Amino acid sequence: MKKEKPVWNRDNWPIAAAMNGFPGILPDGSLVQKQSVDQWAATLQTVVDAGFSEFDPSDSWLRVADLSPDRRREFMSLVKALGLSIPAISTTRKSSVIDPVHADEYLAYNHRVIDTAAEIGAQSVTFGLFGELTEAQQKSLWFWTAQGVKNPDDPDTYRKAVARIRELGKHAEECGIEVSLEMYEDTYIGTADGAVRFVNDVDVPAVGINADIGNLVRLHRPVEHWSSMIDKVAPYAKYWHVKNYMRVEDPEKGLIFSYPTPLALGIINYRAAIQKFLAHGFCSAFLCEHYGGDSLSICAMNRVYLRTLLPR
């Protein structure tokens, strides 16, 4: 089932709030998954108060696809009552390929995410090939400064990844949903060239690239220039996680540092990047993400900035 592309402008382009600033496990050990509707409402009201009309209930906060039908209806009634909508659902560290224990379970879960997106009226889902945080990453102030799980340099695993994403992509295409694959270091889509190769190997029109190059420019190692990455992935871009970092390099001393910034202040020039994407017909939602501090308020600042960059 193919949907016509919407015609959006800076006033109505969907720009969602990320929920990564809200933990899925609360300080008392209870799960957001088990909260009452009133407790969900208290959290989502803060999203509304920050000026958002869209949000992405990333499964690091709430697994909407694993709610019972009655609970999901209650959740969506709340979303509507608050004047919110859900343009997309992101999955986090639910790799259907490389997880040594849960890969098959996650594949089934990702299919449920697609069905749920179609049920609730979302246009996109995001999948990644990155694993759980390592112990070293969990102990770090910024998890990206420690080495994470790598996708194996193995042709059989690569072919399995392509086959499983193709399976998900065909399911999504039947539901009128797009699949956006999140760029993330040390995965098969961890570089611009790798992401383009992978999407072409999958070869399903509904499957594209989530050009979350913020995941890459923050690394304390050499990376490709942001502009070069954008040029390569722009023709394949779909639902887009946007965030930014300042990056400082001292080649003589071999030092590289980064830290999170609002979109307008970091090393990625989103004014230029968005223009390149629009030139290739980009027509998907944005997700504002940020790590550190009052992430929701910074995402709100980023939303305002993004609207100035979109067509009138």
Side-chain angles (χ1 to χ4, degrees), residues 45-244:
Q45 185 62 55
T46 64
V47 175
V48 174
D49 291 345
F52 281 96
S53 54
E54 296 92 13
F55 78 107
D56 177 339
S58 169
D59 61 11
S60 62
W61 178 65
L62 177 70
R63 300 188 315 279
V64 179
D66 282 347
L67 294 173
S68 69
D70 287 344
R71 288 268 284 167
R72 190 154 56 243
R73 281 191 289 270
E74 290 178 334
F75 179 73
M76 291 309 301
S77 293
L78 169 64
V79 169
K80 183 177 180 180
L82 291 173
L84 290 166
S85 65
I86 299 174
I89 301 175
S90 294
T91 63
T92 304
R93 306 186 188 281
K94 301 290 192 300
S95 173
S96 62
V97 181
I98 66 160
D99 190 282
V101 178
H102 302 292
D104 291 344
E105 173 189 335
Y106 289 160
L107 177 63
Y109 167 73
N110 289 340
H111 278 293
R112 293 198 300 276
V113 170
I114 292 170
D115 288 333
T116 299
E119 175 189 320
I120 68 176
Q123 294 83 44
S124 309
V125 295
T126 283
F127 301 130
L129 299 177
F130 47 103
E132 296 288 349
L133 294 174
T134 65
E135 184 177 352
Q137 287 180 306
Q138 293 176 32
K139 291 179 178 179
S140 299
L141 174 61
W142 301 120
F143 62 84
W144 56 85
T145 61
Q147 180 62 56
V149 177
K150 295 182 179 181
N151 285 183
D153 183 14
D154 169 57
D156 288 339
T157 306
Y158 180 86
R159 283 191 291 268
K160 178 181 177 181
V162 168
R164 289 200 161 187
I165 296 299
R166 183 182 294 130
E167 175 186 330
L168 291 167
K170 288 181 177 179
H171 178 191
E173 201 165 51
E174 292 170 356
C175 295
I177 302 295
E178 68 178 24
V179 172
S180 180
L181 301 177
E182 184 174 354
M183 296 179 70
Y184 196 95
E185 75 268 15
D186 300 324
T187 71
Y188 299 135
I189 44 180
T191 65
D193 290 327
V196 169
R197 175 198 173 197
F198 190 88
V199 167
N200 280 320
D201 286 345
V202 170
D203 194 24
V204 175
V207 178
I209 297 171
N210 175 353
D212 192 352
I213 61 172
N215 288 339
L216 305 179
V217 303
R218 69 190 179 189
L219 298 174
H220 290 193
R221 64 172 97 157
V223 295
E224 184 176 4
H225 193 280
W226 69 265
S227 183
S228 173
M229 289 193 280
I230 290 292
D231 286 339
K232 292 173 181 177
V233 304
Y236 307 90
K238 296 192 184 296
Y239 181 50
W240 191 2
H241 293 182
V242 292
K243 56 180 176 282
N244 215 344

